[in-house]
Amino acid sequence: MSYFDVDNHGQLTGKQEQEQNRIRLFLAIYNHKWLTAKQLGVIGWPKQNKDARRVSAFRFIKTAIADGLLLDRKIEKVGGTIAVLSHKGALWMLERGYRVIGADKWGNFESANWSPPSNYFHDFMINEFLTVELFLVAERHMNSESYLL
């Protein structure tokens, strides 16, 4: 029996569901290179209101940083803290069958100070566009039973 096998009633346990959610959010961060808490909130908690999405994303990021699975980087021009997958986070994902690369060396390091690479704003705009589009599609879907994706 694997870790994600369901119980007799076809339901995942709370711990299994939490781990699947963590995997899903780490894959989102990895696939976008990095995400702001606002962007992660739209992806991870689309049915919640704006403030609840932000709080949920901050809590998720804070916990994953404390566990060493994410790194926080500061880019004030895009709203403060961004989340990137750490090397430890990549190993955690590999243990679960996902081959990803940690972003420990992403960006520029000078005298122990980190700065984003020159293309960071381009990445931000792409991430912003994709998460806004995802949000709009989710809103249309939730507000209309006849809307098909």
Side-chain angles (χ1 to χ4, degrees), residues 21 24-25 40-48 52-53 56-57 60:
N21 191 49
R24 183 176 61 83
L25 294 172
L40 188 62
V42 170
I43 293 169
W45 298 270
K47 294 181 181 178
Q48 293 183 356
R53 283 193 305 262
S56 295
F60 175 82

Side-chain angles (χ1 to χ4, degrees), residues 45-54 56 135 139 142:
W45 298 270
K47 294 181 181 178
Q48 293 183 356
N49 68 45
K50 179 178 150 184
D51 292 333
R53 283 193 305 262
R54 184 181 49 79
S56 295
F135 173 74
E139 280 288 304
M142 287 188 297

Side-chain angles (χ1 to χ4, degrees), residues 34-39 54 58 73-82 120-121 124 128:
W34 54 270
L35 290 171
T36 65
K38 175 185 156 199
Q39 293 166 341
R54 184 181 49 79
F58 273 120
R73 298 287 190 236
K74 307 284 188 236
I75 305 180
E76 294 304 322
K77 290 184 180 180
V78 300
T81 300
I82 62 167
Y120 82 91
F121 197 74
F124 170 73
E128 195 71 1

Side-chain angles (χ1 to χ4, degrees), residues 38-144:
K38 175 185 156 199
Q39 293 166 341
L40 188 62
V42 170
I43 293 169
W45 298 270
K47 294 181 181 178
Q48 293 183 356
N49 68 45
K50 179 178 150 184
D51 292 333
R53 283 193 305 262
R54 184 181 49 79
V55 169
S56 295
F58 273 120
R59 285 182 181 155
F60 175 82
I61 291 169
K62 183 178 176 182
T63 300
I65 288 169
D67 293 343
L69 303 174
L70 289 180
L71 302 171
D72 65 328
R73 298 287 190 236
K74 307 284 188 236
I75 305 180
E76 294 304 322
K77 290 184 180 180
V78 300
T81 300
I82 62 167
V84 297
L85 193 64
S86 71
H87 178 71
K88 183 177 178 181
L91 293 175
W92 185 89
M93 291 290 285
L94 184 60
E95 291 170 357
R96 284 140 186 90
Y98 296 90
R99 292 185 181 270
V100 297
I101 300 169
D104 299 70
K105 294 181 175 40
W106 175 75
N108 304 308
F109 295 88
E110 215 172 290
S111 303
N113 292 319
W114 180 85
S115 63
S118 60
N119 65 341
Y120 82 91
F121 197 74
H122 176 263
D123 293 340
F124 170 73
M125 294 305 294
I126 289 171
N127 290 347
E128 195 71 1
F129 173 78
L130 292 173
T131 55
V132 166
E133 184 64 24
L134 176 66
F135 173 74
L136 292 175
V137 168
E139 280 288 304
R140 277 186 253 143
H141 183 68
M142 287 188 297
N143 293 329
S144 171

